[in-house]
Amino acid sequence: MKIVCLDASTLGSDANLSGFERFGEFVKFDKTSKEQTLERLNGADVVLTNKVLITREVMQNSSLKLICVTATGTNNVDLVAAKELGIEVKNVAGYSTNSVAQQAFANILNLRNHVAYYDDYCKKSSGWASSEIFVHLDKPIFELSGAKFGVVGLGEIGRSVARIAAAFGADVCYYSTSGKNANSEFRRVEFDELLKSDIITIHAPLNDQTRGLFDAKAIALLKDGALLANFGRGGIVDEVAVAKAVDEREIYFTTDVLECEPMKKDHPFLSVKHKERICVTPHIGWASFEARKKLVALTEQNIEQFLRKDLETK
């Protein structure tokens, strides 16, 4: 068996991929362009891909039997073509819940407590070292305790975030984007009510119900001092509208995802005047060391299960 990993760099330089060698020949590439994909999959039985597109053309012109997506989402694979051609597709789910929840609060608390500002103040010789008093309170800090905390999308990650917020003492509610989610642990609200929250954090997929959910109209309805966090998918929040709002009102925004990744050099977030009101991280919420280790292990399990099934049918 030949296994090819097309974008190993997306799993981190510290990822241990040696376990795949026990299945046969293992070849890895740090990055793969669209033009290189077919050539690199020559003779491959299994492909590992995080973001590289596996199209109908690629499948029809290769000997692939299994596509392993090293992520939860499978939008980079033509699933219809895979089914028609009898190629199995396996993804990995549930590996990053703790990682995403932790990153969400890291970003939220960074803005809520103005961590970047105070850290910078202390590291400047003209800052704390030159102060005549023991404390510096130019940026107000607000507690999560008592804050109205709204969660968009109460799936596994959303529930984890909601429980952590409740542990801080926040008043937690949630909005179901599908309208079908009923949870007795937290109070369900409609979208108009959710927009009145002090903090809103998004943990929903990008689909017809969520695309453009936080458009200019919705953002305009946020209360002064509100914090909006996107840990779902780019495209749920209108990035141009929120960048404008951050400069025009006291609105705070943090995101780990963008509609187009990597970030464009002319992105509106790069030119906001009130940079202290915005916190952007480069799609790292899923990628704690522990989560990536689990991801690799589960991908190995996917190959094992495929091989076992293949043997049973012979």
Side-chain angles (χ1 to χ4, degrees):
M1 174 172 284
K2 181 178 179 181
I3 303 169
V4 175
C5 178
L6 293 176
D7 48 2
S9 64
T10 65
L11 300 175
S13 59
D14 57 348
N16 182 3
L17 305 181
S18 62
F20 294 107
E21 295 172 2
R22 62 192 168 100
F23 300 118
E25 180 186 359
F26 177 61
V27 181
K28 68 174 181 177
F29 301 96
D30 285 339
K31 292 174 285 186
T32 298
S33 68
K34 179 182 177 182
E35 294 73 26
Q36 295 171 318
T37 303
L38 265 177
E39 179 188 349
R40 290 183 172 182
L41 289 180
N42 183 37
D45 302 286
V46 180
V47 60
L48 273 58
T49 175
N50 191 327
K51 297 298 181 186
V52 177
L53 297 179
I54 307 299
T55 63
R56 179 182 290 272
E57 180 189 3
V58 168
M59 294 181 220
Q60 288 176 330
N61 292 279
S62 68
S63 56
L64 288 175
K65 300 177 182 66
L66 173 65
I67 300 169
C68 285
V69 182
T70 54
T72 300
T74 56
N75 55 301
N76 60 325
V77 178
D78 187 332
L79 297 178
V80 174
K83 186 175 181 179
E84 289 177 2
L85 296 168
I87 301 172
E88 193 160 347
V89 179
K90 287 182 174 288
N91 65 337
V92 182
Y95 69 93
S96 65
T97 299
N98 294 334
S99 182
V100 176
Q102 180 173 310
Q103 190 63 48
F105 279 96
N107 287 27
I108 288 169
L109 290 170
N110 177 42
L111 289 178
R112 198 79 172 168
N113 284 47
H114 292 289
V115 175
Y117 168 80
Y118 282 115
D119 178 59
D120 185 58
Y121 170 80
C122 290
K123 289 175 179 176
K124 290 179 178 178
S125 61
S126 58
W128 201 17
S130 301
S131 177
E132 295 180 352
I133 60 174
F134 78 97
V135 69
H136 178 74
L137 298 172
D138 278 17
K139 298 288 183 184
I141 293 170
F142 297 96
E143 296 180 5
L144 294 186
S145 179
K148 186 173 180 182
F149 194 105
V151 179
V152 178
L154 206 68
E156 190 174 349
I157 294 174
R159 286 195 302 274
S160 179
V161 168
R163 288 167 184 157
I164 295 170
F168 270 107
D171 175 18
V172 181
C173 63
Y174 77 97
Y175 169 68
S176 172
T177 57
S178 67
K180 299 175 183 178
N181 194 332
N183 181 285
S184 59
E185 192 175 355
F186 301 104
R187 180 169 54 92
R188 178 175 162 178
V189 298
E190 295 304 318
F191 191 59
D192 288 348
E193 179 66 22
L194 177 97
L195 291 175
K196 299 174 184 177
S197 301
D198 299 298
I199 299 168
I200 299 172
T201 181
I202 303 165
H203 303 282
L206 183 64
N207 53 38
D208 291 340
Q209 286 75 40
T210 61
R211 188 179 299 277
L213 181 64
F214 286 87
D215 55 13
K217 181 180 178 182
I219 292 167
L221 293 173
L222 296 175
K223 65 186 346 183
D224 287 343
L227 189 158
L228 177 63
N230 188 7
F231 284 83
R233 284 290 181 265
I236 296 177
V237 176
D238 184 327
E239 294 164 9
V240 173
V242 80
K244 188 170 182 287
V246 161
D247 274 342
E248 293 180 350
R249 299 172 53 208
E250 191 185 353
I251 296 293
Y252 296 86
F253 179 67
T254 182
T255 188
D256 189 53
V257 291
L258 295 177
E259 188 166 11
C260 179
E261 296 174 345
M263 190 181 212
K264 292 182 178 179
K265 292 184 178 180
D266 61 347
H267 197 284
F269 292 164
L270 296 175
S271 56
V272 293
K273 300 183 187 72
H274 289 284
K275 296 187 185 301
E276 75 280 4
R277 295 179 186 169
I278 194 165
C279 173
V280 183
T281 46
H283 207 138
I284 58 170
W286 63 279
S288 68
F289 176 80
E290 294 82 359
R292 288 181 291 116
K293 185 178 179 180
K294 187 176 182 180
L295 169 63
V296 170
L298 290 173
T299 302
E300 289 182 30
Q301 285 182 27
N302 282 341
I303 296 176
E304 286 177 346
Q305 289 169 4
F306 170 78
L307 291 175
R308 194 178 302 120
K309 181 180 175 183
D310 190 47
L311 285 172
E312 290 172 354
T313 57
K314 289 181 178 179

